[in-house]
Amino acid sequence: MILQNSALATKLEILAPVGASLSTVLGSSAALPFSEDAIRFVQGFSKEIFANRNLKQFPEIIALAHWMRKANILTLKQKFESETTERFFLGRGVALHIAPANVDTIFLYSVLLSLLAGNANIVRISTRKSPALDALVTVLQDLLSQDEFSKIAARLLIVRYERDDHINADLCSQVDLRVLWGGDQTVKSIREIPTRPATRDVCFPDRWSLAVINANSITSEADVVKLVKQFANDVYWFGQNACSSPRAVAWLGDVEKVRSISSLFWSALTQEAIRFQDEFGAVDYVNKLISQSHVVLDGYDASMLTTGNNLVSVVRFSKSVSLPMDQHNGCGLFYEVCLEDLSDLRNVLDKKSQTVCSYGVSKQDWLAFLQEKQIAGIDRVVPFGEALTFNSVWDGMDLMREFTREIAISI
């Protein structure tokens, strides 16, 4: 069954595989996780990206290919099988993925994991034009047109259509899993669309992330330069709009030490950010200035710092408070706060806090903090330079388990 209304079907553009049938994908059954066909396709996708010289200009695509390489997929398979020994799992059936508009590659991680989990997949990508996204679709189309991947071509469909509640409703009524990426409003609007009673929703709404730096762990300017290079990669890809890109920096240590290191840090970042200047336009700088001004005028005990260029804009808060992330628009805007110790971080976090990029704080200290404090937020703690590195556990969810169902056998 294709879209129940033929008029709606004309609004839906099938990008890959060319000439594919929506009804075929919708009629697919759940498969066993980590089928040979799925593993071979994901590995082929990774190889195609590495072999394509034109894709070297997109570091985010290279990162995707690296994560989907053979060794990593086999590690995922071994982990899944070791955790599910003598238990039986299947995919959930047909998954509908609503991809975000602001990060071109992130949705493909969940799509390919869903494929590995045993699901057929329909992916609605943004109508916003993107060279990186167009390149990925081309790679997928080339692979899906090959005879060896004919079984996958019947279980994976990339489509594009303007926002349309009627199309969404039609698709939602026929799937077993919805994977929703986007802002809170996008996720909310899709979740309000009726679907099958047993359909599972896996949602990735608005989140924000931060960096925590122990100033006492920085002993030289060389330490600062190295840290800033990693931090810039965490922040500036995707214009600081990735949910895991830090939007705030929380310093640990006495005020005098923090102020000294902070000055070096922002100065070095001002220079490092120049290589990302093409990510922003004039309107981004205006919006940042408006956001900074709102924070100060809204009564927060905060001040705007002067930096070397418009690529780095900093609002310094005088004490640890819940940060006004609703005023934050990315594009190189940072909130800064100084904490006496890690326990004060509790005042900064909220339920939307996702990733912490950590420097100079031990794993033991993080475990003690998480065990002792009843915190809101934090789904992952990673080293600097790893904020954008995807993991099959994301936003506190083990996606391989979310994308599969267990058949309990008790005889």
Side-chain angles (χ1 to χ4, degrees):
M1 177 173 58
I2 198 165
L3 291 179
Q4 296 171 16
N5 184 325
S6 59
L8 295 180
T10 63
K11 299 181 180 181
L12 188 147
E13 178 187 7
I14 295 178
L15 301 178
V18 172
S21 166
L22 179 60
S23 58
T24 298
V25 180
L26 286 171
S28 299
S29 300
L32 291 170
F34 293 103
S35 71
E36 288 300 321
D37 287 326
I39 292 174
R40 196 163 55 248
F41 177 79
V42 173
Q43 292 173 356
F45 177 70
S46 176
K47 288 181 180 179
E48 283 293 314
I49 290 175
F50 282 129
N52 191 326
R53 292 184 178 180
N54 294 329
L55 298 181
K56 303 296 183 184
Q57 61 181 305
F58 303 113
E60 65 271 32
I61 294 180
I62 300 303
L64 172 66
H66 180 75
W67 200 84
M68 292 296 173
R69 70 195 188 283
K70 181 178 181 179
N72 196 43
I73 297 307
L74 292 181
T75 297
L76 279 175
K77 180 176 184 287
Q78 291 165 3
K79 178 178 181 291
F80 182 81
E81 291 177 344
S82 67
E83 293 175 348
T84 58
T85 303
E86 298 184 358
R87 298 159 67 187
F88 189 80
F89 286 80
L90 280 172
R92 292 188 176 273
V94 180
L96 172 63
H97 302 255
I98 304 296
N102 62 327
V103 183
D104 294 329
T105 58
I106 190 70
F107 75 95
L108 266 175
Y109 288 97
S110 63
V111 170
L112 295 176
L113 279 176
S114 178
L115 183 67
L116 290 167
N119 297 306
N121 299 272
I122 300 167
V123 189
R124 186 266 182 183
I125 64 173
S126 172
T127 55
R128 182 186 301 177
K129 293 299 181 181
S130 161
L133 187 55
D134 290 343
L136 283 171
V137 171
T138 298
V139 172
L140 287 170
Q141 167 56 29
D142 289 345
L143 279 177
L144 293 170
S145 66
Q146 298 175 22
D147 289 342
E148 66 173 307
F149 298 126
S150 60
K151 291 183 180 179
I152 300 300
R155 298 177 61 83
L156 177 59
L157 195 66
I158 312 297
V159 301
R160 175 184 281 148
Y161 56 90
E162 296 290 342
R163 290 186 179 182
D164 191 306
D165 289 341
H166 296 294
I167 294 179
N168 286 334
D170 219 337
L171 292 174
C172 286
S173 70
Q174 303 177 69
V175 299
D176 307 288
L177 171 68
R178 298 189 296 190
V179 184
L180 312 178
W181 295 89
D184 289 350
Q185 189 54 48
T186 296
V187 170
K188 182 176 182 292
S189 65
I190 298 295
R191 293 189 73 179
E192 289 176 346
I193 296 173
T195 188
R196 294 171 176 171
T199 295
R200 189 176 191 84
D201 285 342
V202 177
C203 303
F204 302 98
D206 287 334
R207 306 299 298 275
W208 66 271
S209 299
L210 71 158
V212 174
I213 305 173
N214 182 352
N216 295 321
S217 297
I218 297 177
T219 59
S220 68
E221 191 168 341
D223 288 343
V224 175
V225 172
K226 180 179 179 180
L227 192 63
V228 161
K229 285 184 178 296
Q230 296 169 328
F231 184 73
N233 287 329
D234 287 334
V235 170
Y236 285 103
W237 293 117
F238 311 117
Q240 205 185 5
N241 285 316
C243 58
S244 56
S245 291
R247 294 189 165 202
V249 175
W251 297 92
L252 303 179
D254 65 84
V255 174
E256 184 177 343
K257 173 72 172 180
V258 166
R259 292 293 179 260
S260 173
I261 299 298
S262 168
S263 178
L264 292 173
F265 184 88
W266 297 123
S267 177
L269 184 62
T270 298
Q271 296 304 310
E272 186 67 23
I274 292 174
R275 63 189 175 101
F276 297 96
Q277 60 187 340
D278 292 340
E279 293 284 321
F280 309 123
V283 67
D284 296 316
Y285 301 125
V286 174
N287 288 337
K288 280 198 300 181
L289 181 59
I290 293 172
S291 296
Q292 287 176 281
S293 301
H294 272 305
V295 171
V296 175
L297 293 173
D298 283 350
Y300 286 90
D301 190 358
S303 58
M304 294 187 291
L305 303 188
T306 300
T307 59
N309 58 42
N310 285 331
L311 295 168
V312 178
S313 302
V314 183
V315 177
R316 173 178 290 168
F317 291 78
S318 62
K319 57 184 178 180
S320 59
V321 294
S322 178
L323 300 175
M325 285 299 167
D326 59 328
Q327 300 281 6
H328 202 297
N329 61 346
C331 304
L333 174 61
F334 303 94
Y335 295 155
E336 181 189 71
V337 63
C338 180
L339 311 178
E340 290 186 10
D341 57 55
L342 193 59
S343 63
D344 291 332
L345 184 63
R346 180 182 175 185
N347 301 325
V348 176
L349 302 171
D350 61 31
K351 289 185 177 181
K352 291 188 176 184
S353 310
Q354 188 215 55
T355 296
V356 174
C357 294
S358 173
Y359 182 84
V361 182
S362 69
K363 181 176 181 178
Q364 290 71 25
D365 286 341
W366 278 115
L367 287 172
F369 169 71
L370 295 171
Q371 289 168 357
E372 294 173 7
K373 304 298 177 184
Q374 295 181 357
I375 63 165
I378 298 187
D379 289 322
R380 54 198 292 260
V381 179
V382 300
F384 273 58
E386 296 294 324
L388 299 176
T389 300
F390 192 78
N391 192 290
S392 59
V393 177
W394 196 258
D395 277 8
M397 296 177 287
D398 185 330
L399 297 184
M400 284 303 301
R401 301 299 286 273
E402 297 289 333
F403 293 165
T404 55
R405 64 185 183 95
E406 180 175 2
I407 300 175
I409 303 175
S410 303
I411 58 173

